Amino acid sequence: MMMNDMASLGDTQTQAPDRHIGDVILDLQGISLSFGGVKALTNISFDVREHEIRSIIGPNGAGKSSMLNVINGVYRPQEGEITFHGKVRKDMDPHRAATQGIARTFQNIALFKGMSVLDNIMTGRNLKMKCNLFEHALYWGRAQKEEIEHRKKVEEVIDFLEIQSIRKTPVGRLPYGLQKRVELGRALAAEPTLLLLDEPMAGMNVEEKQDMCRFILDVNDQFGTTIVLIEHDMGVVMDISDRVVVLDYGKKIGDGVPDEVKNNPEVIAAYLGTSH
Amino acid sequence: MLYREAGQFKASYQEDQQIFPIRQDKLGFIAILGFFFVVLPLIASEYWLQAILIPVLIFSLAAIGLNILTGYAGQLSLGSAAFMAVGAFGAYNFILRIDGMPFIVALLLGGLCAAAVGVAFGLPSLRIKGFYLAVATLAAQFFIVWALVKFPWFSNNSSSGVITAQHVEILGFAFDTPVLKYLLTLAIVAVLALVAKNLVRSTTGRGWMAVRDMDVAAEVIGIRPMRAKLTAFAVSSFYCGVAGALYAYTYLGTVEPEGFNLDLSFKILFMIIIGGVGSIMGSFLGAAFIVLLPIFLNVAMHALFAGSMPAGLGSNLELIIFGGLIIFFLIVEPHGLARLWQIGKEKMRLWPFPH
Amino acid sequence: MGFFFEVLIGGLLSGVLYALVALGFVLIYKASGVFNFAQGAMVFFAALTFVGFREVLPGWTGLEADGNFVFWLAFVLALASMVVLGILTEKIVLRPLVNQPHITLFMATIGLTFLIEGIAQGIWGANVRGLDLGIADEPVEWIMESADILVSKFDLFAATIAGALVASLALFFQYTKVGRALRAVADDHQAALSIGIPLQHIWAIVWAVAGFVALVAGLIWGARSGVQFALTFTALKALPVLILGGFTSVPGAIVGGLIIGASEKLAEVFIGPFVGGGIEGWFPYVLALAFLLVRPEGLFGERHIDRV
Ligand SMILES: Nc1ncnc2c1ncn2[C@@H]1O[C@H](COP(=O)(O)OP(=O)(O)O)[C@@H](O)[C@H]1O
Ligand SMILES: [Mg+2]
């Protein structure tokens, strides 16, 4: 598996992995969202294709997180339409999004602080576990078998993310970088088809970033998971994305393959304008 | 050197997921159970059984109930005593009105009544959080006690709602001595504690804790906050209800609605804060502590003042000590006595080579 | 119809008192995010300390027991005690719990409630005391003559005091540096720091002001129904008020207090007889709950969507 990882990482750095990209699975049309008087998103449209890594970039406050929140129904847009797997809707709802295979991580780590790493990741399996309250009460027969079965899946995730040594640690005690990794683990345990990652590498050192990059690419490569990624590190974004959307002040100012976006004058202006 | 996990490798996830993965813990637990089931009934006096051990067990059960709701699911409740009242009056009416109603069934039905009422008052938790919810449970506290006093049907037309529990009989066998009542209470509490432990280590319990720690993230991963909160209210109130029924049947014998007042609710809240929020073990430790402290204080004061105790000093001291301890534990050891117990065990594990 | 208005006015006047206690909650909640369950205990502590000083001062100083001087000296001493209590609470209880979950802070103030009650009764004893502010609890004549409605002089006096207090607090918030800092803290701790007043000082000031409000509420309430342990329950009455008015709104506390006061009396008189009476104990809670289901953010609160 190690060999495989390295190979795939090398691959993607030299050529965009366009070979496996499929049809559009998520299509957002004319999305507008506001909070009181604040317009977070204005008439935004873009789509996501199966198996691709789709990045959203833009300065702080541009509306990137809001966009993810709209995709999985945490925020409800006032206008627009969301088409996911062919179904057209006005908005999503977090639970429905989860049952349809959307999982995510959050910009500010949203782990269950009082629970161990293992339990946190186990929660990712909850939609696949079928026993009811009374079976849990007895913890016997089917309930126990189910628990063990899913524990095995979770251990696979733990192996994949190389966090075996901390599985019993309460997540609140872990350093920041590891917490981000556990949060990814929780999302992966749900075996999502669409994975939304909100700044998974923010605040990490170079080594941690490399690890996280490798995990994201492996997930995309080995499991074929479609990924929507918000990230500030342009090097990483241009390296691993298939296509990039650029937001600024809630508006879309660019959309395309990394090279296109990199040379878009509006995008360059927005970045120069904010970073100086 | 006796308390070690070295050399105990877990060959399967099943072994790893046991309640006591370490062999010494399991043996220790069996020893404790043996002590409570066999040794105590032989050596404890009637006073100890009836006035201390039985209430400790019953309060432990109520504390487990509140801990499920507050400690695991993160929903603050100030109405535990009212749910106990529902259990007590529920069981009383089932036995009173249905011929040949078996005691255990009545107990469970009393618990189910409490669960239903709990869910009704838990409905606001779907829209409100934190101390807003505390107000909803206060509504339950005042409304339920009021209703039990005002509607004579609940107490079979007795004055001011006082009920006298019927004799406890299971399969023709009468539980009429302190030892027998103690054993009955112990058995019920032990079984329900095991069930609670099972719940909190299963998907149900993880759902509760997830909603407690971060409800948005829980919803995003597919846990239904509504379901989690309402099951927590139901299970919690069920436990409080059964505790309330035992309170009437194996402890006091005669109870009135006003006995299940806000003070009692606070007492149960204190048990979980001091014992350990989010710990089944802590519920027992907290209940024992809160029941024993006033008795201990009383003895100490009498020894100190030799009979000439200033009036009211004892009860004021009790308020001060309870209040002070709550604050102390919240600041210094938010996981309560249960955590201290664990730290003690960890020290043992390293002994005699502390690193 | 006259009877209806009598009940309504009686209810509104006691509502003013609820508002006063609720105000103490709002002050502390705004500044430090703590839901101070001990506010009721503070009311009790304040009233008991005042009455206690009034009893012992003549013996210590040889002053005339009923004189104005003793009254004001006792008032000042009680106020000083409240300020000390507030500052100690901030230092010993709340500062170590900064950044803990709301629910933990809430439970800590429940502990504080017991502590304060124990200390108050430990110092001054537990027996019920009368408290005479020199205003008779008798109907105002001209209202009785002109409108044929009974309105108690005392209630009117209490409402005036409470109204004045509320107005001066509003001015305090609006026009003083500390007041502005306070509002800033409520919105954003960083912003408050930039005003140049340390957060701890602000908290101490707020607790002291809340102590003052508790003293006024305690005196009025104590004069009405005796200084006794039951004063602590005023906090319980203030809870539904806060739910209606929202935890952060001064006008909300006032309007909420009036609504709760009026509706509970009206309910008791006009609905109570049909269900056996005594519904005052729970009616405000049920009303507040019903309201919450419709508008979880309260009367004046803004709808808030968790940011993730
Ligand atoms: N829950 C919310 N309530 C109010 N305003 C919000 C909320 N979430 C986001 N916003 C506002 O929407 C805008 C976009 O924010 P966000 O999507 O977090 O940007 P980004 O992730 O690109 O930094 C900001 O102005 C932010 O203040
Ligand atoms: Mg963001």
Side-chain angles (χ1 to χ4, degrees):
Chain A
M1 184 166 128
M2 268 321 267
M3 291 301 290
N4 225 335
D5 290 351
M6 300 315 284
S8 68
L9 191 64
D11 253 10
T12 49
Q13 272 165 349
T14 49
Q15 82 186 74
D18 51 355
R19 55 197 180 280
H20 54 270
I21 289 174
D23 296 332
V24 170
I25 54 165
L26 173 70
D27 188 23
L28 298 131
Q29 284 300 325
I31 300 287
S32 293
L33 170 76
S34 55
F35 299 99
V38 182
K39 283 212 125 191
L41 298 170
T42 314
N43 193 19
I44 297 203
S45 306
F46 72 95
D47 60 25
V48 179
R49 291 174 170 276
E50 194 168 15
H51 305 311
E52 79 173 331
I53 296 183
R54 184 73 150 121
S55 289
I56 303 178
I57 62 171
N60 275 327
K64 306 180 296 295
S65 297
S66 299
M67 201 65 237
L68 285 202
N69 283 323
V70 165
I71 293 177
N72 79 335
V74 176
Y75 294 168
R76 316 241 156 153
Q78 280 82 14
E79 278 165 50
E81 227 174 53
I82 302 166
T83 312
F84 186 57
H85 283 308
K87 274 238 168 60
V88 188
R89 294 197 173 87
K90 224 193 125 299
D91 51 23
M92 294 292 275
D93 131 331
H95 189 264
R96 191 199 301 135
T99 52
Q100 293 185 345
I102 304 180
R104 72 174 282 187
T105 66
F106 297 82
Q107 179 172 359
N108 300 307
I109 298 172
L111 284 169
F112 307 126
K113 288 230 170 52
M115 297 160 68
S116 67
V117 169
L118 186 61
D119 279 343
N120 264 279
I121 302 179
M122 279 296 276
T123 60
R125 303 295 302 168
N126 88 91
L127 279 175
K128 300 196 157 54
M129 298 175 81
K130 299 289 176 240
C131 286
N132 61 32
L133 184 85
F134 298 100
E135 293 173 291
H136 293 154
L138 298 177
Y139 206 89
W140 198 35
R142 199 164 88 109
Q144 194 180 27
K145 233 172 73 195
E146 186 181 69
E147 187 84 9
I148 290 162
E149 209 173 279
H150 288 274
R151 169 79 187 266
K152 279 187 194 130
K153 274 278 179 218
V154 165
E155 290 291 342
E156 283 171 28
V157 172
I158 288 176
D159 287 343
F160 177 80
L161 294 175
E162 297 155 18
I163 46 177
Q164 296 89 338
S165 58
I166 54 165
R167 58 161 83 76
K168 295 280 173 82
T169 315
V171 290
R173 283 198 221 151
L174 295 176
Y176 182 82
L178 277 181
Q179 291 198 15
K180 284 243 158 195
R181 211 185 273 194
V182 175
E183 208 190 7
L184 176 63
R186 182 177 68 189
L188 289 180
E191 299 180 74
T193 52
L194 176 60
L195 180 60
L196 315 176
L197 303 174
D198 197 344
E199 304 196 13
M201 293 166 232
M204 287 188 164
N205 62 33
V206 177
E207 204 175 316
E208 288 171 328
K209 265 189 193 176
Q210 275 173 353
D211 282 339
M212 187 52 88
C213 234
R214 178 160 56 86
F215 294 136
I216 293 172
L217 286 167
D218 280 354
V219 168
N220 179 247
D221 201 52
Q222 294 181 13
F223 312 135
T225 311
T226 310
I227 293 172
V228 177
L229 171 72
I230 296 176
E231 182 47 51
H232 278 301
D233 187 323
M234 281 310 128
V236 171
V237 170
M238 296 306 165
D239 251 10
I240 70 175
S241 313
D242 296 300
R243 289 189 298 158
V244 181
V245 179
V246 193
L247 301 184
D248 192 21
Y249 291 112
K251 300 206 172 71
K252 185 168 103 171
I253 58 169
D255 189 354
V257 297
D259 279 335
E260 255 175 87
V261 166
K262 241 187 292 193
N263 300 318
N264 179 333
E266 226 181 316
V267 175
I268 295 169
Y271 270 85
L272 290 179
T274 53
S275 58
H276 292 282
Chain B
M1 289 298 276
L2 288 173
Y3 184 69
R4 281 298 139 87
E5 58 186 313
Q8 300 180 23
F9 295 108
K10 282 138 217 149
S12 68
Y13 296 134
Q14 175 168 0
E15 280 177 38
D16 192 43
Q17 285 173 339
Q18 288 167 349
I19 296 179
F20 301 108
I22 301 173
R23 193 184 308 127
Q24 285 87 339
D25 273 344
K26 196 180 291 174
L27 294 176
F29 181 71
I30 291 171
I32 291 175
L33 271 188
F35 178 74
F36 276 92
F37 269 104
V38 183
V39 181
L40 267 182
L42 292 174
I43 61 166
S45 69
E46 291 210 341
Y47 169 78
W48 263 84
L49 289 168
Q50 190 66 49
I52 295 172
L53 290 167
I54 291 181
V56 165
L57 287 170
I58 292 173
F59 282 128
S60 301
L61 194 59
I64 290 174
L66 182 60
N67 231 330
I68 284 172
L69 186 60
T70 302
Y72 287 95
Q75 313 295 307
L76 185 58
S77 166
L78 300 177
S80 322
F83 298 122
M84 287 176 72
V86 174
F89 280 77
Y92 172 78
N93 277 293
F94 280 114
I95 295 178
L96 177 77
R97 291 169 203 283
I98 299 175
D99 260 349
M101 169 62 72
F103 176 72
I104 296 291
V105 177
L107 204 64
L108 297 178
L109 286 173
L112 287 179
C113 288
V117 176
V119 169
F121 281 96
L123 283 174
S125 70
L126 307 183
R127 297 208 57 178
I128 55 179
K129 291 182 189 170
F131 30 68
Y132 279 87
L133 188 63
V135 176
T137 58
L138 272 180
Q141 174 67 55
F142 294 128
F143 180 80
I144 290 169
V145 170
W146 173 85
L148 290 175
V149 174
K150 285 292 170 194
F151 298 104
W153 184 86
F154 291 120
S155 52
N156 201 22
N157 302 314
S158 84
S159 64
S160 70
V162 178
I163 56 170
T164 300
Q166 302 89 344
H167 292 293
V168 179
E169 224 185 74
I170 297 175
L171 300 175
F173 186 82
F175 286 79
D176 47 8
T177 67
V179 174
L180 291 174
K181 284 182 182 169
Y182 163 77
L183 284 173
L184 177 64
T185 311
L186 179 61
I188 293 169
V189 172
V191 169
L192 286 180
L194 176 66
V195 166
K197 187 76 199 170
N198 285 341
L199 282 174
V200 300
R201 64 193 177 123
S202 68
T203 313
T204 298
R206 284 191 296 266
W208 290 338
M209 291 186 275
V211 168
R212 168 195 72 190
D213 286 346
M214 185 63 84
D215 53 356
V216 178
E219 203 176 354
V220 163
I221 201 72
I223 293 163
R224 285 184 190 279
M226 180 172 93
R227 172 109 103 334
K229 287 177 185 174
L230 289 186
T231 54
F233 263 99
V235 175
S236 161
S237 309
F238 175 83
Y239 274 71
C240 287
V242 173
L246 289 173
Y247 193 72
Y249 279 86
T250 65
Y251 177 41
L252 289 181
T254 300
V255 293
E256 56 174 340
E258 298 288 351
F260 298 97
N261 55 16
L262 186 61
D263 265 344
L264 188 62
S265 291
F266 275 138
K267 220 180 199 176
I268 298 166
L269 181 64
F270 290 179
M271 289 173 192
I272 73 167
I273 295 176
I274 289 179
V277 175
S279 158
I280 303 291
M281 176 70 175
S283 309
F284 284 93
L285 297 176
F289 189 88
I290 299 280
V291 171
L292 289 173
L293 183 66
I295 298 173
F296 171 79
L297 272 181
N298 202 2
V299 172
M301 300 291 277
H302 275 290
L304 219 59
F305 292 97
S308 62
M309 196 165 64
L313 181 63
S315 66
N316 288 332
L317 205 61
E318 210 179 299
L319 287 176
I320 292 175
I321 290 180
F322 273 144
L325 277 174
I326 295 301
I327 295 169
F328 174 84
F329 270 100
L330 286 174
I331 292 175
V332 178
E333 189 44 83
H335 297 291
L337 294 171
R339 177 83 191 125
L340 296 180
W341 169 269
Q342 200 141 28
I343 292 173
K345 269 195 340 195
E346 246 139 60
K347 288 248 164 70
M348 279 249 295
R349 182 181 300 187
L350 297 174
W351 183 84
F353 307 110
H355 289 294
Chain C
M1 209 51 199
F3 180 59
F4 175 85
F5 279 112
E6 249 163 51
V7 175
L8 179 66
I9 291 172
L12 286 175
L13 292 174
S14 62
V16 172
L17 287 180
Y18 296 160
L20 205 52
V21 180
L23 208 58
F25 280 98
V26 169
L27 283 176
I28 290 176
Y29 187 77
K30 255 176 112 82
S32 49
V34 177
F35 181 86
N36 180 28
F37 193 79
Q39 189 69 27
M42 284 167 63
V43 170
F44 175 56
F45 184 92
L48 197 56
T49 306
F50 173 80
V51 178
F53 274 123
R54 228 176 146 194
E55 278 169 12
V56 298
L57 276 176
W60 290 354
T61 58
L63 289 163
E64 192 190 332
D66 286 336
N68 261 341
F69 187 67
V70 166
F71 180 96
W72 288 110
L73 190 56
F75 186 85
V76 170
L77 287 174
L79 183 57
S81 314
M82 293 313 292
V83 171
V84 171
L85 178 71
I87 291 172
L88 285 181
T89 301
E90 195 282 312
K91 274 205 178 4
I92 297 172
V93 182
L94 298 176
R95 202 172 303 174
L97 288 173
V98 163
N99 293 333
Q100 293 292 316
H102 280 308
I103 190 171
T104 303
L105 284 159
F106 179 62
M107 294 193 288
T109 64
I110 294 180
L112 187 62
T113 305
F114 281 63
L115 194 61
I116 293 177
E117 288 167 1
I119 292 174
Q121 297 190 92
I123 297 176
W124 303 109
N127 36 343
V128 180
R129 265 95 147 197
L131 168 59
D132 184 11
L133 295 177
I135 290 105
D137 195 2
E138 57 191 28
V140 185
E141 276 141 35
W142 62 269
I143 300 183
M144 194 162 65
E145 277 157 20
S146 59
D148 202 22
I149 295 174
L150 297 176
V151 177
S152 152
K153 262 187 201 164
F154 181 86
D155 285 348
L156 213 54
F157 163 77
T160 312
I161 297 276
L165 191 63
V166 168
S168 50
L169 281 174
L171 292 179
F172 170 78
F173 272 121
Q174 206 64 45
Y175 294 110
T176 65
K177 186 173 165 195
V178 174
R180 278 198 300 274
L182 253 170
R183 279 189 299 152
V185 179
D187 300 335
D188 177 0
H189 284 196
Q190 284 304 320
L193 288 177
S194 67
I195 292 181
I197 301 178
L199 218 50
Q200 270 92 14
H201 287 193
I202 294 178
W203 287 340
I205 291 170
V206 168
W207 277 86
V209 174
F212 173 63
V213 174
L215 177 58
V216 175
L219 291 188
I220 297 178
W221 218 305
R224 159 116 280 199
S225 55
V227 176
Q228 53 179 320
F229 192 75
L231 279 185
T232 60
F233 300 140
T234 55
L236 296 177
K237 270 288 152 71
L239 287 175
V241 172
L242 293 166
I243 299 252
L244 279 183
F247 283 85
T248 52
S249 159
V250 173
I254 297 162
V255 175
L258 294 177
I259 293 178
I260 292 290
S263 61
E264 80 172 10
K265 290 288 183 310
L266 290 173
E268 182 64 57
V269 172
F270 293 102
I271 305 175
F274 297 107
V275 289
I279 66 175
E280 248 178 297
W282 55 263
F283 184 81
Y285 295 94
V286 174
L287 182 72
L289 270 187
F291 180 82
L292 265 186
L293 293 179
V294 185
R295 235 189 109 82
E297 60 274 21
L299 276 174
F300 294 93
E302 266 177 33
R303 174 150 270 164
H304 163 89
I305 299 169
D306 282 341
R307 196 179 287 240
V308 288

